[in-house]
Amino acid sequence: MSELTGQIAVVTGASRGIGRAIAEALVAKGAFVVGTATSEQGASAISDYLGSAGKGLCLNVTGEGAIDEFIAQVQNDHGAIDILVNNAGITRDNLLMRMKDDEWNDVINTNLTAVFKLCKAVMRGMMKKRNGRIVNIGSVVGTTGNPGQANYCAAKAGLIGFTKSLAQEIASRGVTVNAVSPGFIDTDMTRSLTEDQKQRIFDTIPAARLGKPEEIAAAVAFLVSPGAAYVTGETIHVNGGMNMA
Amino acid sequence: MSTIEERVKKIIIEQLGVKEEEVKPEASFENDLGADSLDTVELVMALEEEFETEIPDEEAEKIRTVQAAIDYVTAHSEE
């Protein structure tokens, strides 16, 4: 009997990278995982790798009413949601001087506003159960800042304040809200960096390597486990020592 | 079949963990029955489920006493 057996988990942005590693880690602990992707193709890829332990669904988190519809569908098909991992995120990097309103809005809407909506949509079910786990995936740059990423850093820093506020609101109902802030992890998002950018980043990481998606998933798996019931409003930094809060 | 008043009072007793004799019509959830703001949100959620209705936020904010809850449900239940 695994510790998450019988629990329903939602992981956004689960088709690849960190989201996929999280989905696989939760399945390994016995949860049924609904993973989301922005395309039908991504959703079916999730269904393929999860097999009978989960399902991939298409969700565009910025679509009007899309989140409420999605949560209602999951609850209808699989039951009340026990675990929500807000992992979906995008970057639209640009120097502030050149940053378009769209580049700002897209990042804030996907990385921050969607988290608000998803949390709100699962709240009633978790409060009624007197049990629930929410994990928001932040980023080291939400703490340190990063030139060219004012939009992304603002969203990720905002996520931490959001996490702490919601944690205080609902701690008395047995629902915990935490964040995991990855450093530089080996995913498609960091693979798009230039060699020069990577070298400069390596120089700032005491562990002298990129992190693995599984190393983020391990922190998430801890936070959703029964043993973490008394941890809330916390941010776990997983960054090879790159930034020590 | 219980009356609306009885059903509303039963929910208040369950949600707020108070005694039946405390649930007087004029009793305020927050001032007299020890509810915090989250308790009142949950109370409205419970009323919505019991009476299969949706209470808009601006209406929910006005439901601060036992009588206000009974009045709201009475006014909005099918007759």
Side-chain angles (χ1 to χ4, degrees):
Chain A
M1 195 73 171
S2 307
E3 57 184 7
L4 300 181
T5 299
Q7 299 209 16
I8 308 296
V10 167
V11 180
T12 64
S15 63
R16 56 205 168 112
I18 291 171
R20 175 173 179 160
I22 292 168
E24 287 177 329
L26 300 188
V27 163
K29 284 184 169 281
F32 183 89
V33 174
V34 176
T36 78
T38 49
S39 66
E40 288 296 344
Q41 198 186 350
S44 66
I46 295 169
S47 291
D48 286 346
Y49 79 71
L50 288 176
S52 61
K55 195 178 178 201
L57 286 178
C58 195
L59 171 67
N60 172 8
V61 293
T62 59
E64 182 69 34
I67 285 173
D68 287 340
E69 239 172 71
F70 163 75
I71 294 295
Q73 188 192 339
V74 174
Q75 287 175 336
N76 191 45
D77 295 351
H78 306 290
I81 295 162
D82 301 283
I83 298 164
L84 169 65
V85 182
N86 288 303
N87 168 72
I90 57 166
T91 53
R92 294 282 181 274
D93 299 354
N94 215 339
L95 291 173
L96 190 87
M97 292 287 290
R98 297 213 173 96
M99 190 175 286
K100 311 276 185 297
D101 284 3
D102 280 352
E103 290 169 337
W104 173 268
N105 290 332
D106 286 353
V107 167
I108 298 295
N109 289 341
T110 300
N111 297 8
L112 186 57
T113 307
V115 172
F116 152 70
K117 289 183 183 172
L118 278 157
C119 288
K120 197 174 165 189
V122 300
M123 204 50 50
R124 181 185 282 242
M126 288 183 177
M127 277 169 62
K128 273 182 69 181
K129 269 196 182 183
R130 292 290 190 268
N131 182 55
R133 296 299 165 88
I134 295 173
V135 180
N136 298 320
I137 305 302
S139 170
V140 64
V141 300
T143 313
T144 61
N146 198 24
Q149 290 199 306
N151 49 2
Y152 187 78
C153 297
K156 293 299 187 182
L159 199 65
I160 303 302
F162 174 84
T163 298
K164 291 176 179 175
S165 301
L166 184 57
Q168 291 178 35
E169 285 186 20
I170 57 171
S172 64
R173 302 304 193 266
V175 181
T176 70
V177 190
N178 291 288
V180 172
S181 278
F184 283 87
I185 308 300
D186 189 14
T187 65
D188 291 348
M189 202 185 263
T190 49
R191 254 169 245 144
S192 67
L193 296 166
T194 64
E195 278 310 312
D196 186 45
Q197 283 174 314
K198 275 190 199 167
Q199 195 48 55
R200 268 188 292 131
I201 290 163
F202 278 175
D203 292 343
T204 67
I205 305 174
R209 65 171 176 87
L210 292 175
K212 300 179 198 141
E214 295 73 31
E215 289 168 327
I216 304 305
V220 175
F222 163 67
L223 289 170
V224 303
S225 72
Y230 204 52
V231 180
T232 195
E234 187 54 76
T235 301
I236 299 185
H237 296 269
V238 184
N239 59 29
M242 170 181 182
N243 180 257
M244 301 186 186
Chain B
M1 195 62 189
S2 353
T3 64
I4 284 178
E5 184 172 338
E6 286 163 354
R7 287 159 72 195
V8 170
K9 283 187 172 172
K10 184 163 171 281
I11 287 171
I12 293 168
I13 291 163
E14 280 171 9
Q15 285 291 326
L16 303 184
V18 291
K19 296 197 189 77
E20 195 173 346
E21 57 267 29
E22 291 177 273
V23 186
K24 299 184 182 106
E26 70 280 9
S28 149
F29 300 133
E30 296 202 24
N31 297 332
D32 302 317
L33 302 179
D36 64 19
S37 53
L38 191 60
D39 289 323
T40 59
V41 171
E42 280 192 310
L43 184 60
V44 169
M45 274 166 41
L47 290 170
E48 287 179 332
E49 277 167 28
E50 170 73 16
F51 296 99
E52 292 176 357
T53 178
E54 246 180 69
I55 305 176
D57 288 345
E58 56 273 24
E59 293 293 331
E61 279 165 26
K62 294 181 204 149
I63 305 176
R64 293 166 185 271
T65 64
V66 175
Q67 191 61 49
I70 295 168
D71 288 348
Y72 181 89
V73 175
T74 307
H76 292 83
S77 57
E78 68 289 356
E79 276 131 43

